[in-house]
Amino acid sequence: PIARDVMMRALYGAAPPLIAYPPGDRERIRLEREPPAAEQPRERDLKADEIATLWPAFASLGKPFGPYMQILLILGQRRNEVASMRWQDIDLERGEWTLPRELTKAKRTHIIPLPQMAVDILKTIQPVSYRPSAGRPSTVSDFVFTTTGETPISGFGRVKARIDKAAAEARKQEERETVAPWCLHDLRRTAATRMAELGVPVEHIGRVLNHAPRGITATVYDKHTYIPEKRRALDVWADYLKSIVAPEDGGNVVKLRG
């Protein structure tokens, strides 16, 4: 194929037409001339006015998807980890959610302090009872967010479409442009970005997100749980979020000092 390529270039004075090649060679040449673009990290985070539009759109979904979306934004955790939240792992009195290592992407036990805003939402959810199979007694589901009882919620694409439709209708009534395209992972990025803007140290944000610590000190010697720091970070973010979505309730924005 290389010799043929040289000959064809000599005949045509430029790259030969792709039709001169068998299908396999045509694909090879296309890939050589059009290398795949490097994957770019997403940079989307939601601004205050977008959050103000999306929050009631979340609520319009009803249970379990409405509370799920709100908790996803408040806690900034991974989509599937929040979807798989289990009653046995949350302590509403202590205000903590413990993710066992086997259920985390990072394979590390992760304790997430629950701001009061999250606790109040979770208290509105009633455990789902279901019958595993015909003839067997009903049982209470392990999952906080479920429609079947047996499995956690799924179908996020359809849920996202419903949110976008509700948000578009709200913006239309307000005679404003609709919310720019976004994805569920942008909620996690939004929480992290706003925490940074509110003065939360980057290291504490990483602990909230359960990112891997770096360096020999952090990975081997530092055994601090960072629960107080994570709680403070999430409380600051929740206060800011509340000031956007429920200003009448007196949400106060508090900046941490570096």
Side-chain angles (χ1 to χ4, degrees):
I2 296 175
R4 182 172 57 195
D5 187 59
V6 172
M7 180 183 70
M8 296 295 283
R9 286 179 181 276
L11 289 173
Y12 288 97
L18 293 180
I19 195 172
Y21 293 87
D25 285 354
R26 288 205 301 268
E27 180 64 12
R28 174 183 62 79
I29 293 171
R30 184 188 70 79
L31 292 174
E32 289 175 353
R33 293 175 182 166
E34 302 175 15
E39 184 177 352
Q40 299 296 322
R42 289 183 59 88
E43 298 180 352
R44 179 82 164 100
D45 63 273
L46 300 172
K47 308 308 178 188
D49 69 312
E50 294 176 318
I51 294 173
T53 297
L54 291 175
W55 190 263
F58 295 165
S60 71
L61 298 173
K63 297 172 184 175
F65 293 104
Y68 164 76
M69 291 300 302
Q70 292 173 335
I71 292 295
L72 195 63
L73 180 56
I74 295 170
L75 299 184
Q77 302 304 306
R78 294 181 176 89
R79 181 186 76 179
N80 290 339
E81 291 173 352
V82 176
S84 299
M85 180 184 287
R86 304 181 303 182
W87 289 111
Q88 68 196 59
D89 297 328
I90 60 175
D91 186 331
L92 296 180
E93 294 302 318
R94 289 174 57 88
E96 288 183 356
W97 169 30
T98 302
L99 261 172
R101 64 186 307 275
E102 63 271 17
L103 298 182
T104 68
K105 179 181 178 181
K107 301 304 177 186
R108 286 187 302 275
T109 299
H110 183 34
I111 298 176
I112 305 104
L114 299 173
Q116 189 60 46
M117 188 180 191
V119 171
D120 290 343
I121 291 171
L122 291 171
K123 283 183 175 180
T124 69
I125 303 172
Q126 295 297 318
V128 172
S129 294
Y130 72 103
R131 193 178 299 276
S133 60
R136 296 185 60 185
S138 63
T139 185
V140 177
S141 176
D142 291 334
F143 300 109
V144 176
F145 304 110
T146 181
T147 55
T148 66
E150 293 188 277
T151 59
I153 56 173
S154 58
F156 300 112
R158 294 189 297 273
V159 170
K160 172 67 163 49
R162 290 170 59 192
I163 294 169
D164 287 340
K165 181 179 179 181
E169 291 174 351
R171 285 291 180 100
K172 184 177 180 180
Q173 292 179 358
E174 297 169 357
E175 298 183 347
R176 300 168 62 197
E177 290 186 3
T178 191
V179 175
W182 61 284
C183 70
L184 264 61
H185 193 73
D186 293 335
L187 302 182
R188 180 170 164 86
R189 186 179 299 103
T190 296
T193 301
R194 296 292 91 77
M195 279 189 271
E197 291 177 349
L198 291 165
V200 177
V202 172
E203 180 184 4
H204 298 171
I205 297 172
R207 298 286 179 168
V208 168
L209 301 178
N210 201 21
H211 285 165
R214 296 182 179 182
I216 190 69
T217 301
T219 57
V220 177
Y221 294 100
D222 184 3
K223 298 305 178 183
H224 180 46
T225 64
Y226 285 88
I227 293 174
E229 291 82 358
K230 290 190 287 187
R231 184 174 299 280
R232 193 176 182 206
L234 284 166
D235 281 346
V236 167
W237 160 234
D239 281 345
Y240 173 80
L241 184 57
K242 190 174 181 180
S243 74
I244 296 171
V245 303
E248 67 279 3
D249 293 340
N252 297 316
V253 178
V254 180
K255 289 192 176 183
L256 291 175
R257 297 185 180 276

